[in-house]
Short mmCIF file of all heavy atoms in Angstrom, two decimals:
data_model
loop_
_atom_site.label_atom_id
_atom_site.label_comp_id
_atom_site.label_asym_id
_atom_site.label_seq_id
_atom_site.Cartn_x
_atom_site.Cartn_y
_atom_site.Cartn_z
N ALA A 35 23.77 -2.86 -21.29
CA ALA A 35 22.61 -3.07 -20.42
C ALA A 35 22.78 -4.30 -19.54
O ALA A 35 21.95 -4.55 -18.66
CB ALA A 35 21.35 -3.20 -21.26
N GLY A 36 23.83 -5.07 -19.77
CA GLY A 36 24.06 -6.26 -18.96
C GLY A 36 23.13 -7.41 -19.28
O GLY A 36 22.76 -8.18 -18.40
N THR A 37 22.74 -7.53 -20.54
CA THR A 37 21.85 -8.60 -20.96
C THR A 37 22.36 -9.21 -22.25
O THR A 37 23.42 -8.84 -22.75
CB THR A 37 20.40 -8.07 -21.10
OG1 THR A 37 19.52 -9.17 -21.28
CG2 THR A 37 20.25 -7.07 -22.22
N SER A 38 21.61 -10.12 -22.82
CA SER A 38 22.04 -10.77 -24.06
C SER A 38 21.41 -10.10 -25.26
O SER A 38 20.35 -9.48 -25.16
CB SER A 38 21.63 -12.25 -24.04
OG SER A 38 20.21 -12.35 -24.07
N PRO A 39 22.07 -10.22 -26.43
CA PRO A 39 21.47 -9.65 -27.64
C PRO A 39 20.10 -10.26 -27.96
O PRO A 39 19.23 -9.55 -28.47
CB PRO A 39 22.49 -10.00 -28.73
CG PRO A 39 23.78 -10.17 -28.01
CD PRO A 39 23.42 -10.72 -26.67
N SER A 40 19.90 -11.52 -27.61
CA SER A 40 18.59 -12.12 -27.88
C SER A 40 17.50 -11.49 -27.01
O SER A 40 16.35 -11.34 -27.45
CB SER A 40 18.63 -13.63 -27.66
OG SER A 40 18.90 -13.94 -26.31
N SER A 41 17.84 -11.10 -25.78
CA SER A 41 16.84 -10.42 -24.93
C SER A 41 16.49 -9.05 -25.50
O SER A 41 15.31 -8.65 -25.47
CB SER A 41 17.38 -10.24 -23.51
OG SER A 41 17.48 -11.48 -22.86
N VAL A 42 17.48 -8.35 -26.03
CA VAL A 42 17.20 -7.05 -26.65
C VAL A 42 16.33 -7.24 -27.89
O VAL A 42 15.38 -6.49 -28.11
CB VAL A 42 18.52 -6.30 -26.99
CG1 VAL A 42 18.23 -5.03 -27.77
CG2 VAL A 42 19.29 -5.98 -25.72
N ALA A 43 16.64 -8.27 -28.67
CA ALA A 43 15.84 -8.55 -29.87
C ALA A 43 14.40 -8.88 -29.49
O ALA A 43 13.45 -8.40 -30.12
CB ALA A 43 16.47 -9.69 -30.67
N ARG A 44 14.23 -9.67 -28.43
CA ARG A 44 12.87 -10.01 -27.98
C ARG A 44 12.14 -8.78 -27.47
O ARG A 44 10.95 -8.60 -27.72
CB ARG A 44 12.95 -11.08 -26.89
CG ARG A 44 13.33 -12.45 -27.43
CD ARG A 44 13.47 -13.54 -26.36
NE ARG A 44 12.54 -13.42 -25.27
CZ ARG A 44 12.89 -13.50 -23.98
NH1 ARG A 44 14.15 -13.67 -23.63
NH2 ARG A 44 11.98 -13.39 -23.04
N LEU A 45 12.87 -7.91 -26.78
CA LEU A 45 12.27 -6.67 -26.29
C LEU A 45 11.80 -5.82 -27.46
O LEU A 45 10.69 -5.28 -27.44
CB LEU A 45 13.28 -5.89 -25.44
CG LEU A 45 12.87 -4.51 -24.94
CD1 LEU A 45 11.69 -4.61 -23.97
CD2 LEU A 45 14.04 -3.81 -24.27
N GLU A 46 12.63 -5.71 -28.48
CA GLU A 46 12.28 -4.89 -29.64
C GLU A 46 11.13 -5.48 -30.45
O GLU A 46 10.46 -4.78 -31.19
CB GLU A 46 13.51 -4.67 -30.52
CG GLU A 46 14.53 -3.76 -29.87
CD GLU A 46 15.73 -3.48 -30.75
OE1 GLU A 46 15.82 -4.05 -31.87
OE2 GLU A 46 16.60 -2.68 -30.33
N LYS A 47 10.89 -6.78 -30.30
CA LYS A 47 9.76 -7.42 -30.99
C LYS A 47 8.47 -7.36 -30.16
O LYS A 47 7.41 -7.75 -30.63
CB LYS A 47 10.10 -8.88 -31.30
CG LYS A 47 11.13 -9.03 -32.38
CD LYS A 47 11.43 -10.49 -32.63
CE LYS A 47 12.54 -10.62 -33.67
NZ LYS A 47 12.95 -12.02 -33.85
N GLY A 48 8.59 -6.90 -28.91
CA GLY A 48 7.40 -6.79 -28.05
C GLY A 48 7.07 -8.07 -27.32
O GLY A 48 5.92 -8.29 -26.95
N ASP A 49 8.04 -8.92 -27.09
CA ASP A 49 7.83 -10.18 -26.39
C ASP A 49 7.43 -9.89 -24.94
O ASP A 49 8.17 -9.23 -24.20
CB ASP A 49 9.12 -11.01 -26.42
CG ASP A 49 8.98 -12.38 -25.78
OD1 ASP A 49 7.99 -12.62 -25.07
OD2 ASP A 49 9.89 -13.20 -25.98
N PRO A 50 6.27 -10.39 -24.48
CA PRO A 50 5.83 -10.11 -23.11
C PRO A 50 6.65 -10.84 -22.05
O PRO A 50 6.53 -10.53 -20.87
CB PRO A 50 4.37 -10.59 -23.09
CG PRO A 50 4.28 -11.58 -24.18
CD PRO A 50 5.26 -11.16 -25.23
N GLY A 51 7.51 -11.77 -22.44
CA GLY A 51 8.31 -12.52 -21.49
C GLY A 51 9.60 -11.82 -21.08
O GLY A 51 10.31 -12.31 -20.20
N VAL A 52 9.90 -10.69 -21.68
CA VAL A 52 11.11 -9.96 -21.31
C VAL A 52 10.86 -9.26 -19.97
O VAL A 52 9.83 -8.61 -19.78
CB VAL A 52 11.50 -8.93 -22.41
CG1 VAL A 52 12.71 -8.12 -21.99
CG2 VAL A 52 11.75 -9.63 -23.73
N ALA A 53 11.83 -9.40 -19.07
CA ALA A 53 11.67 -8.84 -17.72
C ALA A 53 11.65 -7.32 -17.76
O ALA A 53 12.32 -6.69 -18.58
CB ALA A 53 12.81 -9.32 -16.82
N ILE A 54 10.89 -6.74 -16.83
CA ILE A 54 10.83 -5.29 -16.75
C ILE A 54 12.18 -4.71 -16.34
O ILE A 54 12.52 -3.60 -16.72
CB ILE A 54 9.70 -4.84 -15.79
CG1 ILE A 54 9.43 -3.36 -15.96
CG2 ILE A 54 10.04 -5.18 -14.35
CD1 ILE A 54 8.15 -2.89 -15.34
N GLY A 55 12.97 -5.49 -15.63
CA GLY A 55 14.32 -5.05 -15.27
C GLY A 55 15.20 -4.90 -16.49
O GLY A 55 16.03 -3.98 -16.56
N THR A 56 15.02 -5.78 -17.46
CA THR A 56 15.77 -5.67 -18.72
C THR A 56 15.37 -4.40 -19.45
O THR A 56 16.22 -3.67 -19.97
CB THR A 56 15.52 -6.90 -19.61
OG1 THR A 56 15.92 -8.07 -18.89
CG2 THR A 56 16.29 -6.81 -20.91
N LEU A 57 14.07 -4.13 -19.48
CA LEU A 57 13.60 -2.89 -20.10
C LEU A 57 14.21 -1.68 -19.40
O LEU A 57 14.69 -0.75 -20.06
CB LEU A 57 12.07 -2.81 -20.03
CG LEU A 57 11.44 -1.48 -20.45
CD1 LEU A 57 11.74 -1.17 -21.91
CD2 LEU A 57 9.94 -1.49 -20.19
N ALA A 58 14.22 -1.69 -18.07
CA ALA A 58 14.79 -0.57 -17.32
C ALA A 58 16.27 -0.40 -17.63
O ALA A 58 16.74 0.73 -17.83
CB ALA A 58 14.58 -0.79 -15.82
N ASP A 59 17.02 -1.50 -17.70
CA ASP A 59 18.46 -1.41 -18.01
C ASP A 59 18.70 -0.86 -19.41
O ASP A 59 19.60 -0.04 -19.62
CB ASP A 59 19.12 -2.78 -17.86
CG ASP A 59 19.19 -3.25 -16.42
OD1 ASP A 59 19.12 -2.39 -15.52
OD2 ASP A 59 19.30 -4.47 -16.21
N VAL A 60 17.87 -1.27 -20.36
CA VAL A 60 18.00 -0.76 -21.74
C VAL A 60 17.67 0.73 -21.77
O VAL A 60 18.37 1.51 -22.43
CB VAL A 60 17.09 -1.57 -22.70
CG1 VAL A 60 16.94 -0.88 -24.04
CG2 VAL A 60 17.65 -2.99 -22.88
N LEU A 61 16.64 1.13 -21.03
CA LEU A 61 16.28 2.55 -21.01
C LEU A 61 17.35 3.40 -20.34
O LEU A 61 17.56 4.55 -20.73
CB LEU A 61 14.93 2.74 -20.31
CG LEU A 61 13.72 2.18 -21.06
CD1 LEU A 61 12.46 2.36 -20.23
CD2 LEU A 61 13.56 2.82 -22.42
N VAL A 62 18.06 2.84 -19.37
CA VAL A 62 19.18 3.57 -18.75
C VAL A 62 20.24 3.84 -19.80
O VAL A 62 20.76 4.96 -19.92
CB VAL A 62 19.77 2.77 -17.57
CG1 VAL A 62 21.12 3.34 -17.14
CG2 VAL A 62 18.81 2.77 -16.39
N VAL A 63 20.57 2.82 -20.60
CA VAL A 63 21.60 2.98 -21.63
C VAL A 63 21.16 4.02 -22.67
O VAL A 63 21.96 4.83 -23.13
CB VAL A 63 21.90 1.62 -22.32
CG1 VAL A 63 22.83 1.81 -23.50
CG2 VAL A 63 22.50 0.65 -21.31
N LEU A 64 19.87 4.01 -23.00
CA LEU A 64 19.35 4.94 -24.00
C LEU A 64 19.11 6.34 -23.43
O LEU A 64 18.80 7.27 -24.17
CB LEU A 64 18.06 4.40 -24.61
CG LEU A 64 18.19 3.09 -25.39
CD1 LEU A 64 16.82 2.59 -25.81
CD2 LEU A 64 19.10 3.27 -26.60
N GLY A 65 19.23 6.49 -22.12
CA GLY A 65 18.99 7.79 -21.49
C GLY A 65 17.53 8.13 -21.35
O GLY A 65 17.16 9.30 -21.28
N LEU A 66 16.68 7.11 -21.26
CA LEU A 66 15.24 7.33 -21.19
C LEU A 66 14.60 6.73 -19.94
O LEU A 66 13.39 6.56 -19.89
CB LEU A 66 14.57 6.70 -22.43
CG LEU A 66 15.00 7.26 -23.78
CD1 LEU A 66 14.45 6.42 -24.92
CD2 LEU A 66 14.53 8.70 -23.92
N VAL A 67 15.39 6.42 -18.93
CA VAL A 67 14.85 5.73 -17.76
C VAL A 67 13.84 6.58 -16.99
O VAL A 67 12.92 6.04 -16.36
CB VAL A 67 15.97 5.22 -16.83
CG1 VAL A 67 16.62 6.35 -16.06
CG2 VAL A 67 15.46 4.14 -15.91
N GLU A 68 13.94 7.90 -17.03
CA GLU A 68 12.96 8.74 -16.32
C GLU A 68 11.56 8.56 -16.90
O GLU A 68 10.57 8.74 -16.21
CB GLU A 68 13.37 10.22 -16.34
CG GLU A 68 13.25 10.91 -17.68
CD GLU A 68 14.42 10.65 -18.63
OE1 GLU A 68 15.44 10.09 -18.20
OE2 GLU A 68 14.29 11.01 -19.81
N ARG A 69 11.45 8.18 -18.16
CA ARG A 69 10.14 7.93 -18.77
C ARG A 69 9.48 6.72 -18.14
O ARG A 69 8.26 6.65 -18.05
CB ARG A 69 10.27 7.70 -20.27
CG ARG A 69 11.06 8.72 -21.05
CD ARG A 69 10.38 9.98 -21.46
NE ARG A 69 9.37 10.05 -22.44
CZ ARG A 69 9.48 9.87 -23.75
NH1 ARG A 69 10.58 9.46 -24.28
NH2 ARG A 69 8.46 10.11 -24.54
N LEU A 70 10.28 5.74 -17.71
CA LEU A 70 9.73 4.56 -17.04
C LEU A 70 9.13 4.94 -15.69
O LEU A 70 8.06 4.46 -15.32
CB LEU A 70 10.81 3.49 -16.87
CG LEU A 70 10.38 2.17 -16.23
CD1 LEU A 70 9.32 1.48 -17.09
CD2 LEU A 70 11.57 1.26 -16.03
N ALA A 71 9.80 5.81 -14.97
CA ALA A 71 9.30 6.25 -13.67
C ALA A 71 7.99 7.03 -13.81
O ALA A 71 7.16 7.02 -12.90
CB ALA A 71 10.34 7.10 -12.97
N ASP A 72 7.79 7.70 -14.93
CA ASP A 72 6.58 8.48 -15.17
C ASP A 72 5.47 7.68 -15.86
O ASP A 72 4.43 8.23 -16.19
CB ASP A 72 6.89 9.71 -16.03
CG ASP A 72 7.77 10.69 -15.31
OD1 ASP A 72 7.75 10.71 -14.06
OD2 ASP A 72 8.49 11.46 -15.98
N LEU A 73 5.71 6.39 -16.04
CA LEU A 73 4.76 5.56 -16.78
C LEU A 73 3.36 5.61 -16.16
O LEU A 73 2.38 5.82 -16.85
CB LEU A 73 5.27 4.12 -16.83
CG LEU A 73 4.51 3.14 -17.70
CD1 LEU A 73 4.54 3.58 -19.15
CD2 LEU A 73 5.14 1.76 -17.57
N ILE A 74 3.28 5.42 -14.87
CA ILE A 74 2.00 5.50 -14.18
C ILE A 74 2.12 6.60 -13.14
O ILE A 74 2.58 6.38 -12.03
CB ILE A 74 1.62 4.17 -13.52
CG1 ILE A 74 1.51 3.08 -14.56
CG2 ILE A 74 0.31 4.31 -12.76
CD1 ILE A 74 1.23 1.72 -13.99
N ASP A 75 1.73 7.79 -13.53
CA ASP A 75 1.78 8.94 -12.64
C ASP A 75 0.41 9.08 -11.98
O ASP A 75 -0.57 9.44 -12.66
CB ASP A 75 2.14 10.20 -13.43
CG ASP A 75 2.35 11.41 -12.56
OD1 ASP A 75 2.11 11.32 -11.34
OD2 ASP A 75 2.76 12.45 -13.10
N ILE A 76 0.31 8.78 -10.69
CA ILE A 76 -0.99 8.79 -10.04
C ILE A 76 -1.61 10.18 -9.97
O ILE A 76 -2.82 10.30 -9.78
CB ILE A 76 -0.94 8.15 -8.63
CG1 ILE A 76 -0.02 8.93 -7.70
CG2 ILE A 76 -0.55 6.70 -8.71
CD1 ILE A 76 -0.11 8.49 -6.26
N ARG A 77 -0.82 11.21 -10.15
CA ARG A 77 -1.38 12.57 -10.17
C ARG A 77 -2.17 12.82 -11.45
O ARG A 77 -2.95 13.75 -11.52
CB ARG A 77 -0.27 13.59 -10.01
CG ARG A 77 0.41 13.54 -8.65
CD ARG A 77 1.59 14.50 -8.60
NE ARG A 77 2.60 14.16 -9.58
CZ ARG A 77 3.66 13.39 -9.34
NH1 ARG A 77 3.85 12.90 -8.15
NH2 ARG A 77 4.54 13.14 -10.28
N LYS A 78 -1.96 11.98 -12.46
CA LYS A 78 -2.67 12.14 -13.73
C LYS A 78 -3.68 11.02 -13.95
O LYS A 78 -4.19 10.84 -15.05
CB LYS A 78 -1.67 12.15 -14.88
CG LYS A 78 -0.72 13.33 -14.82
CD LYS A 78 0.30 13.28 -15.92
CE LYS A 78 1.30 14.41 -15.79
NZ LYS A 78 2.37 14.29 -16.77
N ASP A 79 -3.95 10.23 -12.92
CA ASP A 79 -4.89 9.11 -13.00
C ASP A 79 -6.30 9.63 -12.76
O ASP A 79 -6.78 9.66 -11.62
CB ASP A 79 -4.50 8.05 -11.97
CG ASP A 79 -5.43 6.85 -11.96
OD1 ASP A 79 -6.23 6.70 -12.90
OD2 ASP A 79 -5.34 6.06 -11.00
N ASP A 80 -6.97 10.07 -13.80
CA ASP A 80 -8.27 10.71 -13.68
C ASP A 80 -9.30 9.78 -13.03
O ASP A 80 -10.06 10.22 -12.15
CB ASP A 80 -8.78 11.17 -15.04
CG ASP A 80 -7.91 12.27 -15.63
OD1 ASP A 80 -7.28 13.00 -14.84
OD2 ASP A 80 -7.86 12.40 -16.87
N LEU A 81 -9.36 8.52 -13.45
CA LEU A 81 -10.33 7.59 -12.88
C LEU A 81 -10.04 7.35 -11.39
O LEU A 81 -10.93 7.40 -10.56
CB LEU A 81 -10.32 6.27 -13.64
CG LEU A 81 -11.23 5.18 -13.08
CD1 LEU A 81 -12.68 5.64 -13.08
CD2 LEU A 81 -11.07 3.90 -13.87
#
Side-chain angles (χ1 to χ4, degrees):
T37 190
S38 66
S40 64
S41 291
V42 174
R44 288 178 35 228
L45 175 65
E46 290 183 356
K47 289 180 184 175
D49 183 347
V52 177
I54 193 166
T56 301
L57 171 62
D59 291 338
V60 166
L61 292 176
V62 166
V63 173
L64 297 174
L66 299 170
V67 74
E68 71 279 350
R69 309 278 291 290
L70 182 62
D72 293 335
L73 188 61
I74 300 176
D75 186 355
I76 62 170
R77 294 175 299 266
K78 297 177 184 174
D79 179 14
D80 295 334
L81 176 60

